[in-house]
Amino acid sequence: MYIAVRASDMIDHNKKTDDHPVAEVAWPVRAAAAARRREKKEKMGRACVVLMVCVMALLFLVLFFGGRTGAPAAWHNAAKLTAMCGGIANVSRPRPSGAGADELFGGLLAPGYDRRACRSRYESPRYYKHSPFAASPHLLQKLRDYEARHKKCGPGTPQYAKSVDNLRSGSSNTEAAECRYLVWLPYNGLGNRMLSLLSTFLYALLTDRVLLVRNTDDFTDLFCEPFPDTTWSLPPDFPVANMSQLGVQSDDSYGNLLRHGRISNHLDRAASQPVPPYVYAHLAHGLRVTDQLFYCNDDQIVLAKVTWLLLQNDLYFVPLLYGIAEFEDELRRMFPAKESVSHFLARYLFHPSNSVWGMVTRYHRSYLAHAEEMIGVQVRMFPFATIPADDMYMQILACSRQEGILPEIDDEHEPEPGNTTSAVDSEGAASSNKAILVVSLHADYYERIRWTYYKHGAKGGGGVGVFQPSHEERQERAQRSHNQKALAEIYLLSFSGVLLTTGMSTFGYMSSSLAGLRSTMLMVANNQTVPETPCVRAVSMEPCSHLMNFKVKCKGKTVDKEELARHIKVCEDLPRGIKLVD
């Protein structure tokens, strides 16, 4: 049996129709009808609950007053009613397979949030299949301390107003500053932004800074506020002008400030030299050697004096923080398992907005919830490493055979009659044994996988469903609706029990981190040819840091190089990148 949902069946919110100038419907087109059927079923379920309570009360009275003679008939009627209602467990809406999970992730999340304002915060734990680590007490304390600091110093507080006034006046008197700030500037695609923001938040934890996010239009309505009773959004009247124009050439970049003598990383000289009102740290691709000094110990001592630090980055730079002696002890205490850094911080920081979470849950409930196993397949074709779709499909199959990822096909026997048609139950939800979720900008790979199981079926006769939520064809980095769909698909992938992602893809990295899984990664083509090794298993679920040509020579205190070398290795998917391992 196979099940297929065509990418073309999904609603594109940007396409106009004759009936609606702008289509405002549920993401999967069948979700609304399924919701109506579920509502009808729930009403029946509630009626059954009332009937069951009455029958149980009657049963108690029969047993108490009538003794054993009336018991058999009463039990028979109770069982009959239970069967009619579909069983007690089915009276309410079927819950995801992870139901019963700790909705605060073992204390990682603070209680007390408005559930209606951010449904994903409390509901997402029910969908995840894995939680491989327990957060350390020190990490939990750091997060609670940070939340208190953000509430005290965030926008709308007297401390924030005072700090902004000093910045507006150009004051360099930072010694008496009660609060220090870290302003994150979004850059590049959604996967890069999430990894960058996650890294920036860890840096804020390590430096006792308050993280503020400059929300561009394409980054709004993606995530809930992560910190209680405050906001992480930078107010629009922030006095630094033209932040979107900041870059490696900016006069206020740390590298240029050093080059022009406006700041010094010589500690004896820096002790008497005033620092600028703010410093811009350019840590994105293409940063120069002087900008790389940001990752040196003495430079961090100097930057600690700056009240306002503006940071632009599109990389996962956590492994580089492990090379800074000032942070060594804190990192060790926060993350005894180094492989857990991105996993914990992603689950703490990122909670999809209600609009995005609605897309996630509607699709999952309609197509994926009833599968016994969910396999996530994420395919990214990079412009610098393109190969024909047929070649990529053959690479996926070769990887699957090598690592046992996709269900084996039965190419020796014809499928049984009635076992090769779309199988969707009366509630509009797939009733397959295994669901393959394909996430890609293109529909080619989904079509080929779908056709494979349509033509052959799975070995052993198990049902296989093949699904793809959308196929945007090209990445639209500056479009909010595109980013919302991309975020929804990152979360759908993270609910998988098995992950096959594309190497070097930040989209795949984020899915693995949220899922708590070491994914199998498709190797990226070299010179437009399929790699000899189709894929590799990740040795750590930590993302790869893509920072290349790191040539800076740091001054000051250093970490134990041998110890560092044991836990920072070359990436499986990028020989010039590094990642954390245990």
Side-chain angles (χ1 to χ4, degrees), residues 23 31 62 66 148 151 159-160 164 221 223 237 291 333 374 417 454:
V62 168
K151 186 175 180 180
Q159 288 81 1
Y160 176 83
V164 168
D221 198 26
F223 301 102
D237 60 350
D291 296 296
R333 296 174 65 195
M374 181 174 153
Y454 174 81

Side-chain angles (χ1 to χ4, degrees), residues 286-506:
L287 75 167
R288 297 178 296 193
V289 173
T290 47
D291 296 296
Q292 294 176 15
L293 289 168
F294 177 90
Y295 298 110
C296 294
N297 197 73
D298 282 6
D299 295 79
Q300 282 300 317
I301 294 174
V302 172
L303 288 170
K305 299 168 58 180
V306 178
T307 301
W308 290 94
L309 183 60
L310 281 58
L311 188 149
Q312 183 167 256
N313 174 270
D314 62 343
L315 299 162
Y316 183 70
F317 60 86
V318 168
L320 297 167
L321 299 179
Y322 273 79
I324 301 174
E326 286 288 307
F327 305 150
E328 185 176 17
D329 183 58
E330 281 294 290
L331 286 169
R332 177 183 56 79
R333 296 174 65 195
M334 279 196 285
F335 304 103
K338 293 174 176 57
E339 187 181 0
S340 67
V341 178
S342 62
H343 173 66
F344 281 132
L345 295 185
R347 287 197 177 182
Y348 172 83
L349 196 63
F350 298 128
H351 307 285
S353 65
N354 283 351
S355 56
V356 174
W357 187 243
M359 295 163 68
V360 173
T361 54
R362 285 192 296 271
Y363 193 90
H364 187 275
R365 185 168 59 240
S366 297
Y367 304 111
L368 305 171
H370 292 264
E372 296 172 7
E373 182 183 11
M374 181 174 153
I375 303 167
V377 178
Q378 180 255 340
V379 185
R380 172 70 190 273
M381 190 74 75
F382 294 100
F384 57 84
T386 57
I387 55 176
D390 284 336
D391 289 350
M392 174 59 83
Y393 173 64
M394 296 308 295
Q395 183 180 348
I396 292 171
L397 290 188
C399 173
S400 179
R401 286 191 296 268
Q402 174 184 301
E403 302 296 337
I405 297 172
L406 300 178
E408 291 186 64
I409 61 172
D410 188 351
D411 52 6
E412 296 181 0
H413 302 91
E414 290 295 325
E416 296 178 6
N419 212 28
T420 58
T421 58
S422 179
V424 178
D425 68 17
S426 61
E427 292 304 308
S431 56
S432 63
N433 298 101
K434 293 187 179 182
I436 302 173
L437 178 70
V438 180
V439 171
S440 175
L441 288 172
H442 310 286
D444 299 332
Y445 318 110
Y446 156 76
E447 292 287 356
R448 284 164 172 79
I449 295 173
R450 178 189 68 88
W451 173 250
T452 295
Y453 290 102
Y454 174 81
K455 183 178 180 182
H456 298 285
K459 185 172 289 188
V464 177
V466 183
F467 309 92
Q468 180 174 18
S470 70
H471 55 100
E472 297 287 279
E473 300 304 327
R474 64 180 182 273
Q475 186 174 5
E476 300 286 353
R477 293 175 177 172
Q479 190 178 97
R480 184 193 304 178
S481 63
H482 179 92
N483 285 339
Q484 287 179 324
K485 292 179 184 179
L487 181 60
E489 293 180 359
I490 285 175
Y491 272 84
L492 285 169
L493 276 176
S494 74
F495 302 153
S496 302
V498 178
L499 271 178
L500 174 61
T501 61
T502 300
M504 295 179 59
S505 168
T506 54

Side-chain angles (χ1 to χ4, degrees), residues 71 78 104 120 144 180 191 270 293 333 338 435 487 539 553 576:
L104 296 178
S120 65
R144 301 294 87 82
R180 292 178 302 143
L293 289 168
R333 296 174 65 195
K338 293 174 176 57
L487 181 60
V539 298
K553 294 183 179 178
R576 292 172 293 177

Side-chain angles (χ1 to χ4, degrees), residues 189-192 195 314 382 490 504-511 546:
L190 180 62
N192 294 74
L195 289 173
D314 62 343
F382 294 100
I490 285 175
M504 295 179 59
S505 168
T506 54
F507 194 106
Y509 293 161
M510 276 310 312
S511 298
H546 289 180

